Amino acid sequence: MNLPNYVKIVEVGPRDGLQNEKVMVPTDVKVALINQLTDAGFVNIEAASFVSPKWVPQMADGADVMARIQRRPGTLYSVLTPNMKGFEGAVAAGADEVVIFGAASEAFSQRNINCSIAESIARFAPVAAAAKEKGIRLRGSISCALGCPYQGEVPVSAVVDVVRRMRELGCDEIDIADTIGVGTPGKVQDVMRAASAEFAMDRLSGHFHDTYGQALSNILASLEVGISIFHASVAGLGGCPYAKGATGNVATEDVLYMLHGLGIHTGIDLEAVVHTGDYISQAIGRANSSRVGRALLTKWAAASEAAPACA
Ligand code: HMG
Ligand code: MG
């Protein structure tokens, strides 16, 4: 297999993970989570959303979160911005990257951002232009690229069409998102190859939710065709408020374990991420969904119990 030497992991737990929690997560906890992730070595953390608080109440404190985190030079702190109102909030908060988020499925676009795909692109256009003018990095995210909870199958051509429109808006990076985790490796490779006809492969990313347990296989399949940017969520936090039954993103710990095992560098300290996964799971009273996280925590607990007491 011809695999890359380095993979960029975008940690999306503080946004994609926490946006779906029913109980309001205190701002202090969000800030502590992002600071720990920063210390673990991530170069890109999706920290917040500047969306309507009526639609996603959990993200209402985005400005506070951004004001209170300790930033590390070299780490980009990204935020979601569906429209100019969100963009203005993002600029005021000093976001390094703004994310416009559309969909390859009309039905999902309506449920998630209350407009058609064409309307969404028109809404993103001023955001994209303003980002370019201010020199802020622009990322585009395409939901339901491997299937939709409302319409089912999503044709590859629909994904490619949105990739092209996002390229035309000037996106620096584009995410191929499996919102409900239904994709399988062959289909993922087809979509990635087709998307790369419109946008550089090394600036496409895989954003895989793990609902059907396919995410690690889909990452490996994506690596094989040349993708080298992946999104992941510490402790496998998350779901999607507009995709019932969708589980979190693939757990960051599991992705790191696989990549490091393949000899691929990430610059991220797996042990630190496992401790962070334990911290956030306990802080919000949720089971840790990372297999690697659970295995290592169990192993470390057993080792410390077995260690002889100091004389
Ligand atoms: P709308 O209701 O059509 O918009 O929502 P509107 O312009 O009519 O505004 C309605 C109200 O929201 C107004 O307030 C606006 O001021 C306010 P009111 O006058 O009623 O008091 N508002 C805002 N407030 C704060 N920040 C803003 C903002 N915009 C409007 N930016 C809108 C349209 C897009 C705003 C809404 O649908 C929305 O916020 N949706 C967000 C949905 C969302 O965040 N979904 C989750 C993230 S996407 C995701 O998770 C998928 C991803 O992970 C990839 C994958 O896995 O698929 C990225
Ligand atoms: Mg997502």
Side-chain angles (χ1 to χ4, degrees), residues 31-276:
V31 170
L33 171 65
I34 295 168
N35 288 345
Q36 287 183 34
L37 293 166
T38 297
D39 290 343
F42 289 91
V43 294
N44 196 169
I45 300 174
E46 210 169 81
S49 289
F50 287 81
V51 299
S52 165
K54 288 181 192 144
W55 284 66
V56 185
Q58 191 65 259
M59 291 286 109
D61 59 351
D64 258 8
V65 169
M66 290 293 283
R68 288 168 52 187
I69 54 174
Q70 282 164 359
R71 301 187 193 203
R72 186 179 69 125
T75 297
L76 296 183
Y77 298 88
S78 312
V79 304
L80 266 57
T81 54
N83 52 23
M84 279 308 286
K85 181 161 183 162
F87 179 77
E88 281 149 20
V91 171
D96 300 302
E97 180 182 67
V98 293
V99 183
I100 49 179
F101 51 103
S105 137
E106 285 293 348
F108 190 83
S109 181
Q110 287 291 350
R111 303 275 183 124
N112 194 35
I113 50 176
N114 206 23
C115 61
S116 68
I117 295 173
E119 284 163 349
S120 76
I121 298 295
R123 247 184 230 178
F124 298 150
V127 175
K132 293 282 135 189
E133 197 191 307
K134 290 200 178 310
I136 299 177
R137 205 166 189 277
L138 178 71
R139 172 149 61 84
S141 184
I142 305 176
S143 287
C144 298
L146 277 306
C148 170
Y150 309 111
Q151 97 179 31
E153 285 291 314
V154 172
V156 175
S157 59
V159 182
V160 172
D161 188 49
V162 183
V163 169
R164 182 181 47 75
R165 297 197 213 191
M166 286 198 164
R167 185 201 67 215
E168 287 167 359
L169 289 176
C171 285
D172 297 297
E173 204 165 296
I174 296 180
D175 314 328
I176 302 298
D178 188 0
T179 314
I180 51 170
V182 289
T184 45
K187 175 96 188 277
V188 166
Q189 289 189 335
D190 289 348
V191 172
M192 293 302 189
R193 282 199 186 100
S196 72
E198 290 290 348
F199 196 73
M201 187 76 97
D202 63 357
R203 290 188 290 131
L204 283 172
S205 78
H207 174 112
F208 300 117
H209 286 257
D210 202 24
T211 317
Y212 287 77
Q214 302 297 301
L216 279 182
S217 312
N218 289 339
I219 290 176
L220 189 55
S222 302
L223 284 167
E224 283 174 356
V225 296
I227 300 291
S228 57
I229 308 171
F230 297 98
H231 295 192
S233 184
V234 61
L237 291 174
C240 175
Y242 302 102
K244 247 191 172 31
T247 66
N249 294 87
V250 62
T252 312
E253 299 89 317
D254 300 6
V255 178
L256 292 175
Y257 183 83
M258 182 179 81
L259 294 176
H260 295 173
L262 286 165
I264 296 172
H265 299 280
T266 62
I268 299 161
D269 178 351
L270 169 61
E271 200 169 301
V273 180
V274 169
H275 288 301
T276 303

